[in-house]
Amino acid sequence: MSAIGKSTNIFWQECSVGKLDRQKLLKQKGCVVWITGLSGSGKSTLACTLGRELHSRSKLAYVLDGDNLRHGLTKDLGFSTEDRTENIRRVGEVAKLFADAGLICIASLISPYRKDRDSCRGILPESSFIEVFMNMPLELCEARDPKGLYKLARAGKIKGFTGIDDPYEPPLNCEIEIKQENGVCPSPNAMAGQVVGYLEEKGFLQE
Ligand SMILES: Nc1ncnc2c1ncn2[C@@H]1O[C@H](COP(=O)(O)OS(=O)(=O)O)[C@@H](OP(=O)(O)O)[C@H]1O
Ligand SMILES: Nc1ncnc2c1ncn2[C@@H]1O[C@H](COP(=O)(O)OP(=O)(O)O)[C@@H](O)[C@H]1O
């Protein structure tokens, strides 16, 4: 019996079917692929391409995309520092459940603060939080501007836009870095291939 946060008198309930049983069933190991980077850096593109590639290999993956989650799970949150922290905390907890279910959970959020991403890492079993940094220059993201948000931010019509007037803290020790080679961004398939290669090498794509 213990107290957790505001909950008191709560107990942990064990079930007879555990993570290892589910992993055996799925022939894979649950983990979280956490994709971080500026708006327009290619997070959703990588998440979807990776999801498709894993699906084609009969691996069960699920994408948690920041933009999509803000339509439901996190619709009460905005873009203040506190709200972004709560956003990442909440999505990190959901990602942890997906990984425990045995899935390859692909979380794609700006997640601008290092300490928030590190907190997510801290609640997952050793080695099963795989941080992927979309290391794309702001100029490229701004030139892409698929939703026109950078333009609005530059015009002062969106306040606190990441990379313009709000911070982004790049990872110091990420597992995977996606970056331009000779000024060229790798194709979506090449980006996904880099992550699949890592998952294969570390044994996540087998039971
Ligand atoms: N102020 C501000 N700053 C950054 N982004 C903004 C902002 N306002 C709206 N948007 C849109 O919200 C998407 C980012 O949501 P996230 O949940 O990933 O953000 S965060 O991790 O909580 O920082 C982001 O999506 P992506 O472009 O896919 O990154 C934007 O479409
Ligand atoms: N590897 C890539 N090569 C070329 N264009 C890309 C690549 N990745 C993303 N894009 C394009 O860049 C834009 C932003 O990508 P998106 O995945 O929506 O970024 P984010 O989710 O980080 O905001 C989209 O128009 C997308 O088609």
Side-chain angles (χ1 to χ4, degrees):
M1 187 169 65
S2 62
I4 305 285
K6 288 185 184 169
S7 304
T8 50
N9 304 317
I10 49 165
F11 301 80
W12 186 265
Q13 183 66 53
E14 286 295 343
C15 293
S16 60
V17 178
K19 184 179 183 186
L20 291 177
D21 302 299
R22 292 186 286 273
Q23 294 192 155
K24 209 168 171 189
L25 188 79
L26 294 168
K27 298 187 173 62
Q28 63 185 54
K29 293 193 186 76
C31 62
V32 174
V33 176
W34 189 280
I35 307 171
T36 173
L38 293 171
S39 176
S41 60
K43 301 183 298 297
S44 305
T45 302
L46 171 56
C48 294
T49 311
L50 177 60
R52 163 62 48 198
E53 177 59 27
L54 290 171
H55 187 78
S56 76
R57 292 170 180 240
S58 302
K59 298 300 164 195
L60 191 55
Y62 193 83
V63 175
L64 298 175
D65 189 280
D67 243 340
N68 293 352
L69 296 173
R70 282 175 177 277
H71 286 76
L73 178 73
T74 54
K75 68 179 174 189
D76 55 321
L77 302 174
F79 291 91
S80 65
T81 306
E82 299 73 30
D83 280 10
R84 289 185 201 249
T85 293
E86 171 58 12
N87 186 31
I88 301 316
R89 188 199 67 79
R90 220 178 274 180
V91 178
E93 290 287 352
V94 173
K96 177 184 170 183
L97 295 176
F98 273 94
D100 190 57
L103 275 73
I104 295 159
C105 180
I106 306 166
S108 151
L109 298 98
I110 295 178
S111 39
Y113 298 111
R114 211 171 281 139
K115 70 169 174 36
D116 296 342
R117 299 191 300 267
D118 286 347
S119 297
C120 292
R121 182 186 289 278
I123 60 170
L124 274 139
E126 184 77 31
S127 314
S128 62
F129 183 85
I130 301 151
E131 192 170 356
V132 181
F133 174 35
M134 303 301 296
N135 189 3
M136 298 298 155
L138 174 65
E139 300 72 46
L140 174 69
C141 302
E142 196 168 351
R144 286 174 169 170
D145 204 10
K147 303 171 200 158
L149 298 179
Y150 280 101
K151 203 169 173 213
L152 290 173
R154 287 288 185 198
K157 292 180 181 155
I158 300 178
K159 301 280 182 215
F161 196 78
T162 307
I164 303 300
D165 56 349
D166 222 51
Y168 178 80
E169 299 172 357
L172 298 175
N173 274 311
C174 60
E175 280 70 13
I176 301 172
E177 183 181 3
I178 310 273
K179 59 177 184 195
Q180 293 182 308
E181 295 293 342
N182 302 319
V184 180
C185 178
S187 70
N189 280 334
M191 301 195 299
Q194 203 178 323
V195 180
V196 169
Y198 181 93
L199 294 174
E200 262 180 337
E201 187 194 320
K202 300 290 177 188
F204 287 105
L205 303 186
Q206 59 198 41
E207 60 180 81

